[in-house]
Amino acid sequence: MKERLSIRVNSQRLEKLRRIAGQKRKTMTQLIEDWIDRLQEEKPS
């Protein structure tokens, strides 16, 4: 099941995200999911 995430970004960042999504032929959601998947979690001490 997919959940919804709501964030606030300035209009310049939103437009940048839209441009890059268009260039890569992906949705903005796909770009953000790809970025999240690349994040490294810290190992507990």
Side-chain angles (χ1 to χ4, degrees):
M1 177 175 126
K2 294 238 179 186
E3 299 280 342
R4 180 172 291 273
L5 171 67
S6 211
I7 63 169
R8 288 188 172 108
V9 295
N10 67 33
S11 58
Q12 293 162 326
R13 286 186 173 129
L14 179 58
E15 286 306 313
K16 181 178 181 178
L17 184 59
R18 286 181 176 145
R19 283 193 310 272
I20 293 170
Q23 291 166 0
K24 295 183 177 283
R25 295 186 179 156
K26 291 187 171 194
T27 65
M28 292 190 295
T29 297
Q30 289 171 317
L31 286 182
I32 293 168
E33 287 177 338
D34 290 348
W35 174 73
I36 291 170
D37 290 344
R38 288 192 309 268
L39 292 173
Q40 296 294 314
E41 293 186 64
E42 293 183 19
K43 294 180 183 177
S45 317

